[in-house]
Amino acid sequence: MKRDKKGEKKGGKKKGPNPIKREAQVVRIEKHVNDDKIFNEILTSPHTFHIDGSYGEGGGQVLRYCFALAAIMNRPLHITKIRHNREKPGLAAQHLTGLNLVTELHQGRLFGGEIRSSEVHFKGKDFKEGVKEYTADIKTAGAIGLLVQVSLPTLLFAPHPLEITLIGGTNAIMAPQIDYMIDVFHPLVSRMGMKFELKIEKRGFYPKGGGVVHLFSHPLGNAPLNAIQLTERGEISTIHIRSFVTAPIIAPSVAERMNKQAKHRMKQYVGKLTQKKEVTYTEEIVVCGEQTHDAVGVGTGVIIIVTTTTGCILGGSALGERRKTAETVADEASDEIIGDLSTCKGQACVDQWTQDQLIIYMALARGKSIIKCGKLTLHTKTAIHFTEKMTGAKFNVAAHELKVGSEDEEEKDKLDIDEDEEEEEEDKGEEDKGEEGESRKTDDEAVIIECVGIGWHRR
């Protein structure tokens, strides 16, 4: 049938508006109006947390801590200067995936949630009733361990157990290995009453990612976290060494060599100690690969887990690279853990990577938490700053000089936790080396971190 210039069928009725398209347009307008309302509320609310993302460590850690706390406390959040001093400022895929996960968990709205964005606004609500499974896919080799960092604090206060499928890199540089989160972080925070599991379905390596880890959370109900006290290191009790390789590209013998060298180095170290307890050594080799559907990409590495007679757990790890021998990888992991074991005359109860990860939980817990560690990392100082700002909890940080021949005699000096520091690599909790002219870490210096938590529980 022919049509005239106005689009009418000749001899027919005039075509009316499409009701489906009209309804969709109304929905879009309503969403736009609602978004404007939420955005203005974030900007004008006296309850909004305004965060300078370039402060202190100035990297992804600021995002993870602040987003988690804002979601938990149901407060709007505005962050500017995101990763301002990094080579590639703004949000990367891993950061954005974490923020989107928290936003989805809390039925929230995120403004500025785009790659390379340097400013975001967030407002969340409570968890959605009935939804018990979520998925967060970084789509790169970005660290799954960092997705755990941003989401786990909020999951503790959910109304019911949840399963989060996390997809990305299980073993990535400049970030906590998933093995570390399972074997060091998990048992430590379990002492605070946290109940969760991390199960590796598939390992994922750079550059593909594609690893799959399932996070099963069991909320606290109406109870708060328990305080934690780690002040006595004790003697080394066990040393567990785990190496992994992706076969058939990397031979299992590489893992055997890493284990052998790591055990040799640790035995050398223990042999120089004056402890009475005999150390138990255990070894493990993980062989995975794409052919067996339990890995994506190619990778290798080793983790060393040290447990003491008082229940302290410290870890050190390293990843393989091209033209790096198995022995070199093992030496790097050994150097890392031996460094933490040796600091402040062997009195540190946590390693440098655990320091900052405990801060948020100390603030949320009920009662007084105390941990003894080596000199504060920049990540830890930054974590304390923002946790105090957002929760109202107060931290007391004091240096203890351990005198030769009298470990019980201590001298306390107040530390300036807001001191500007030299920035290093991000996303694993960098060691704080200080500015030029500042005193460096010495074997005589230990640090006590104390916090009376706010006893936060589900409202």
Side-chain angles (χ1 to χ4, degrees):
M1 183 179 289
K2 294 183 178 180
R3 298 175 182 270
D4 60 16
K5 292 182 181 179
K6 294 183 179 180
E8 293 185 27
K9 295 177 182 178
K10 290 186 176 180
K13 294 182 179 180
K14 186 176 180 179
K15 188 176 179 181
N18 187 322
I20 297 177
K21 288 184 177 180
R22 172 168 239 172
E23 184 178 348
Q25 185 179 20
V26 170
V27 171
R28 284 196 300 270
I29 293 173
E30 289 179 348
K31 184 178 183 298
H32 180 73
V33 171
N34 189 50
D35 283 352
D36 285 347
K37 181 180 178 182
I38 295 173
F39 186 79
N40 289 330
E41 182 180 342
I42 296 172
L43 289 180
T44 60
S45 172
H47 302 295
T48 298
F49 291 119
H50 295 279
I51 302 298
D52 179 354
S54 66
Y55 179 89
E57 178 270 334
Q61 182 218 37
V62 176
L63 290 167
R64 290 186 290 274
Y65 263 69
C66 294
F67 251 75
L69 287 172
I72 289 169
M73 308 186 82
N74 196 21
R75 297 269 299 271
L77 177 68
H78 175 212
I79 305 182
T80 58
K81 299 181 181 179
I82 295 172
R83 303 179 69 245
H84 183 68
N85 297 317
R86 296 298 192 256
E87 183 178 346
K88 294 182 178 180
L91 296 174
Q94 170 259 119
H95 310 110
L96 181 56
T97 303
L99 304 192
N100 283 333
L101 174 58
V102 173
T103 301
E104 184 179 7
L105 287 170
H106 286 267
Q107 305 182 78
R109 281 293 286 123
L110 173 64
F111 301 92
E114 301 172 354
I115 297 295
R116 301 272 77 88
S117 173
S118 62
E119 181 177 7
V120 294
H121 299 76
F122 166 74
K123 187 177 188 298
K125 296 186 290 187
D126 197 4
F127 287 82
K128 190 173 183 178
E129 290 289 346
V131 179
K132 297 185 179 180
E133 295 182 4
Y134 294 86
T135 298
D137 187 353
I138 302 174
K139 301 187 185 303
T140 70
I144 287 176
L146 298 178
L147 294 184
V148 176
Q149 283 187 6
V150 70
S151 61
L152 181 61
T154 76
L155 296 175
L156 299 176
F157 304 99
H160 47 68
L162 292 167
E163 177 186 352
I164 316 294
T165 300
L166 306 172
I167 306 172
T170 55
N171 303 88
I173 61 172
M174 297 188 293
Q177 312 296 309
I178 196 62
D179 303 79
Y180 182 93
M181 301 299 290
I182 293 172
D183 294 310
V184 179
F185 175 77
H186 176 267
L188 281 176
V189 295
S190 293
R191 296 168 63 166
M192 304 181 76
M194 293 172 57
K195 295 181 180 179
F196 69 98
E197 296 91 43
L198 289 165
K199 294 186 178 179
I200 303 173
E201 176 184 326
K202 185 184 298 184
R203 289 182 183 267
F205 303 99
Y206 179 83
K208 294 182 179 180
V212 180
V213 174
H214 299 279
L215 167 58
F216 300 91
S217 67
H218 304 277
L220 296 166
N222 293 324
L225 287 167
N226 301 320
I228 187 170
Q229 296 195 358
L230 297 168
T231 58
E232 298 295 331
R233 223 290 273 288
E235 295 186 340
I236 295 175
S237 175
T238 65
I239 296 178
H240 181 69
I241 303 167
R242 177 190 302 119
S243 293
F244 60 86
V245 295
T246 50
I249 296 176
I250 302 177
S253 60
V254 173
E256 294 172 1
R257 288 165 53 197
M258 287 190 291
N259 273 12
K260 181 180 179 180
Q261 178 65 8
K263 185 175 181 179
H264 169 70
R265 287 289 310 279
M266 296 310 295
K267 279 193 168 184
Q268 274 188 331
Y269 171 73
V270 171
K272 297 176 182 178
L273 302 178
T274 57
Q275 70 172 47
K276 299 177 182 178
K277 171 133 183 105
E278 184 177 348
V279 177
T280 300
Y281 293 86
T282 56
E283 298 179 52
E284 181 183 356
I285 291 177
V286 176
V287 179
C288 54
E290 294 187 352
Q291 291 184 356
T292 51
H293 307 291
D294 53 3
V296 176
V298 179
T300 183
V302 61
I303 182 170
I304 304 169
I305 303 129
V306 174
T307 305
T308 74
T309 53
T310 58
C312 297
I313 307 172
L314 299 88
S317 62
L319 295 175
E321 298 176 15
R322 288 185 178 181
R323 293 180 290 277
K324 184 189 290 186
T325 67
E327 289 74 22
T328 300
V329 178
D331 284 338
E332 289 177 357
S334 301
D335 289 342
E336 184 173 283
I337 185 64
I338 290 172
D340 280 316
L341 289 169
S342 303
T343 189
C344 57
K345 298 190 184 301
Q347 294 300 300
C349 297
V350 297
D351 60 47
Q352 58 189 307
W353 314 128
T354 298
Q355 267 189 37
D356 70 287
Q357 294 190 67
L358 290 179
I359 297 302
I360 188 173
Y361 301 109
M362 293 170 68
L364 294 171
R366 176 177 57 196
K368 187 176 184 178
S369 293
I370 310 174
I371 62 172
K372 183 190 288 185
C373 57
K375 188 176 180 181
L376 296 194
T377 66
L378 184 52
H379 271 72
T380 302
K381 293 182 179 183
T382 306
I384 290 174
H385 171 80
F386 286 115
T387 302
E388 285 189 331
K389 176 184 177 74
M390 297 181 72
T391 67
K394 296 299 178 184
F395 285 80
N396 180 51
V397 182
H400 289 235
E401 184 180 347
L402 303 175
K403 295 187 176 181
V404 177
S406 179
E407 292 184 352
D408 292 332
E409 189 172 358
E410 298 173 339
E411 293 182 359
K412 297 185 178 181
D413 296 302
K414 185 68 178 178
L415 290 182
D416 178 9
I417 64 172
D418 289 338
E419 183 178 3
D420 292 333
E421 299 291 339
E422 177 183 342
E423 219 175 69
E424 294 186 53
E425 294 177 323
E426 68 168 310
D427 287 337
K428 191 180 176 183
E430 306 102 43
E431 182 176 353
D432 173 19
K433 293 185 177 179
E435 294 182 343
E436 184 179 356
E438 182 189 8
S439 61
R440 298 312 198 229
K441 179 169 64 178
T442 69
D443 286 339
D444 294 332
E445 184 179 66
V447 174
I448 296 290
I449 305 175
E450 297 180 352
C451 177
V452 177
I454 63 175
W456 188 267
H457 59 86
R458 179 171 171 78
R459 267 52 175 178

